[in-house]
Amino acid sequence: MCSVVGYVGHPLGRHFILQGLSHTEYRGYDSAGFACFDIKTNALIAIKSIGFVEALKNKVESTDFDGNTVIGHTRWATHGGLTEENAHPHFDCNQDFFVVHNGIIENYHIIKKDLERRNHHFYSQTDTEVIAHLLEEEFFDNDFSIEPEKKIYTVIQKLQGAFALVILARRYPEKIFFARNKSPLCIGIAHDYRMIASDILAFGKEVNQVLYIPDGCSGFVSPTDIILVDNNAQILSYAFTSLIYDNRSTGLSGYSHYMIKEIYEQKSAVIDTVMYLNNNHDSLHHILGLSIQQINSLEHIKLIGCGTSWHSGRIAQFFFEEIAGIQTAVHLASEFRQMRLFKKSDMVGICISQSGETADTLEALRFLGANTIHTIGLVNVEYSSIVREANGSLVMKAGPEIAVASTKAFAAQVASLYWLAHYCAVIKGISNEKALEKASLELINTVMVLDEVMNRYAHEIKTVWGPFYSQFDRAICLGRHISYPFALEAALKIKEIDYIFAQCYPAGELKHGPLALIDNRTPVIVFSVLDQISYIKLVSNVQEAKTRGAHILAFLFEGQDELRDLADTYFLIPIVPALLAPLAMNGVMLLLVSSIGLHLGLSIDKPRNLAKSVTVE
Ligand code: BG6
């Protein structure tokens, strides 16, 4: 996913665009671009750079180009390599239209072939460039009797796929044209300027009103006007809403990296979320968009997400089934719509997403909605598309999560779903308010344990284990029962942050094939479990690996001496409620993973090839 930003206003806009791009760089950092109507020369200029926004900032600030109408872009590459040619903005043969785009034009191939037949010359490998050439064609007739926004409308009817477009047109230096289909786009108003962006985080701090552009709309923003054209070419009326920023700092607060900061914010993320749930206990059914009766007769839950959010769903399956007795299925959002849906009247779909913008999860939510299944969003961003489109939404209180790898949001997801399972059990009459209060205390005690274990091992991890494990280029993660999905999460983090090829298996599966991978260059990382039967089985599985010469690193709980004796290295964790074992292990796991990444000199906040959430399918 990319980030698009635009600015029109009286203070010059260069500063606002560069700031907006750095605030939304988590959306993609393969390259960046800037374009403006330069106030001194009236020229339409573009500056592009490869890599982080900082590189673009240095390039732009080495010139004195600036203007009142400016656009910018950060890129997460989908089409074409990481080159300056492929960086946005893209333009047509005459450089009359500058386009920045977030999304994928699925039919760009056909359009490009057709345009090449009509002698358009392409310089990039991107899908986006076709849009600039289509605009060139549409405006070629110089017929000023047709409003430009109508011509923009005509062009976007030719596009298939997801797009948020922000466009500068040489003939209209005071206007920024835009169009949206699926990819998020919003307009922000401040006293003497207006901005348009993929995410409100790009807006200047003076912006206090926001308009979320409805899907399928296009139009323009100028210093005096905003025109919205709907997907029937009708002018649409609109209303702004007040913009409430989550004023918890998005700064580093003295930490070296956002990931480290957010690892240490797990405790407050979980406690603030649990407090919010307890304080809204009486009206929670409204927040979920359900009646008490509907919750009481709930028999089927579908948990849907991607990446780390899918892993918290896999862990929560144990919560809803063991605590609330509700049959629960967990689905990867990117696969969900292609599977047969066995609809039940007493079914809800919970779509789990930190950002609330991940396209796969959003499309799964729309699919459930189209099949009249009640949808609930579990998100960490109040103003996200999932909150706007779900029937009900639980917005966690983890605070802004900037680092690409999800850490505190995962902890808050696991805590929210544990609490929600207990809440459903009370409503269904198989538990009581006392048990729900106890569950809240269990969550708070568990994150205290998480924090205490981190502090106990932080120095040792930084000086010994981070450097030690950075020598390996592969690893096998094992878990059993509820620690298996947690082992999946750990393996993902080791891939995302350390670029180490980490595979994950349910420990019982090792002997059915993966055991062949065991050698002294492949550490086996074991995540223990507090379910007694599963623990005993896990010890046997680890014994099998040990017998083949494996190096064992174990995350284990007090009293688990059998596993401790098998381990070459271990992190000892105080006992917590069995179903909260993953939460207790999350802190020390993330500290180790981040320490390995730092020791390898990797960018732990912005790992290569990734983005915070991906708004293309
Ligand atoms: C990926 C992120 O792009 O999206 C992961 O790198 C994240 O960290 C996944 O888990 C899903 O994102 P979200 O916002 O839907 O939870």
Side-chain angles (χ1 to χ4, degrees), residues 306-309 352-356 358 361 404-406 413 496 610-614:
C306 302
T308 294
S309 293
I352 309 169
S353 173
Q354 187 284 133
S355 61
T358 300
T361 311
V404 166
S406 187
Q413 285 166 347
E496 279 183 311
L610 298 182
K612 182 67 186 162
S613 86
V614 179

Side-chain angles (χ1 to χ4, degrees), residues 469-470 472-475 491 494-495 498-502 596 600:
Y469 286 106
S470 64
F472 298 101
D473 62 2
R474 58 195 186 200
I494 295 169
K495 292 182 194 94
D498 307 330
Y499 310 161
I500 292 175
F501 200 105
I596 294 170
L600 291 167

Side-chain angles (χ1 to χ4, degrees), residues 40 150 159 179 218 252 274 311 326 360 377 393 398 471 508 513 549 603:
K40 288 201 184 70
K150 289 278 165 56
L159 306 177
S218 56
L252 278 166
V274 171
H311 294 146
I326 302 173
D360 288 321
S393 282
Q471 67 178 294
S603 160

Side-chain angles (χ1 to χ4, degrees), residues 373 386 395 414 510:
I373 293 175
I386 284 184
V395 181
V414 169
L510 203 59

Side-chain angles (χ1 to χ4, degrees), residues 456-524:
R456 183 171 2 124
Y457 286 111
H459 179 68
E460 206 183 319
I461 285 175
K462 192 169 178 198
T463 54
V464 182
W465 301 121
F468 176 78
Y469 286 106
S470 64
Q471 67 178 294
F472 298 101
D473 62 2
R474 58 195 186 200
I476 290 179
C477 295
L478 298 179
R480 226 182 148 111
H481 190 260
I482 200 167
S483 77
Y484 167 54
F486 183 69
L488 283 169
E489 173 58 10
L492 176 66
K493 286 288 176 289
I494 295 169
K495 292 182 194 94
E496 279 183 311
I497 302 300
D498 307 330
Y499 310 161
I500 292 175
F501 200 105
Q503 281 288 77
C504 177
Y505 302 99
E509 272 306 294
L510 203 59
K511 55 188 174 294
H512 302 302
L515 197 60
L517 293 172
I518 299 293
D519 62 21
N520 57 12
R521 289 175 299 116
T522 314
V524 173

